[in-house]
Amino acid sequence: MNWNFRNDLPIYSQLIEQIKLAIVSGVYSPGERLKSVRDMATDAGVNPNTMQRALQELEREGMVYSQRTAGRFVTEDLMLINSAKKALAKSQIKDFIESMTKLGYHRDEIVSLLDESMKEESEDGNS
């Protein structure tokens, strides 16, 4: 998994976001065992305590669960995964609309640009 961090959010929040994205996009399958905290922290280049904090939050949310001696696993609750996927999508859309509004676009113009871009994508064979 490629880890990318920004300066505008705490690292543990970004870890949560990126792991959640990996779950909802299928990088991690439902029921899949995750690497150890130490291995994930090494891969991400972060302190193991920071990774532990992120995984504990994901566990609190139900996205992962622990089995005492076997490690952490991705939830098998597909409704929860789909709900998280929808929430992430809504967040992306909200951010996009805010950015477009800052550029001076109005609702109808945003919809028109999206439609135009999606048509171009399908003509290029990328959709």
Side-chain angles (χ1 to χ4, degrees):
M1 186 165 145
N2 291 330
W3 301 93
N4 299 306
F5 300 109
R6 305 179 311 268
N7 292 328
D8 61 340
L9 286 173
I11 296 295
Y12 84 94
S13 295
Q14 294 179 65
L15 289 169
I16 292 167
E17 184 180 290
Q18 290 183 40
I19 294 168
K20 197 180 292 187
L21 181 60
I23 292 170
V24 303
S25 67
V27 172
Y28 294 132
S29 302
E32 182 176 340
R33 183 179 184 278
L34 298 176
K35 291 182 180 181
S36 71
V37 171
R38 195 165 298 284
D39 287 345
M40 288 181 78
T42 299
D43 289 348
V46 300
N47 185 299
N49 293 332
T50 304
M51 182 62 73
Q52 176 69 15
R53 182 176 178 193
L55 290 168
Q56 284 175 332
E57 178 60 24
L58 287 167
E59 196 167 334
R60 191 187 66 71
E61 293 177 14
M63 294 299 292
V64 300
Y65 64 92
S66 292
Q67 288 189 341
R68 195 171 184 125
T69 58
R72 279 197 175 90
F73 296 81
V74 174
T75 184
E76 295 177 29
D77 184 344
L78 298 181
M79 286 179 52
L80 180 64
I81 292 172
N82 286 331
S83 175
K85 184 176 187 174
K86 190 172 187 175
L88 286 170
K90 283 184 174 185
S91 175
Q92 292 283 325
I93 291 168
K94 181 179 179 266
D95 292 346
F96 171 74
I97 291 171
E98 286 176 5
S99 294
M100 296 301 287
T101 302
K102 286 179 184 175
L103 287 173
Y105 286 98
H106 299 286
R107 182 189 183 285
D108 292 340
E109 294 171 312
I110 295 170
V111 171
S112 178
L113 281 171
L114 274 172
D115 188 42
E116 184 181 315
S117 293
M118 291 179 76
K119 284 179 185 174
E120 289 173 4
E121 284 290 312
S122 65
E123 288 170 4
D124 291 343
N126 295 330
S127 226

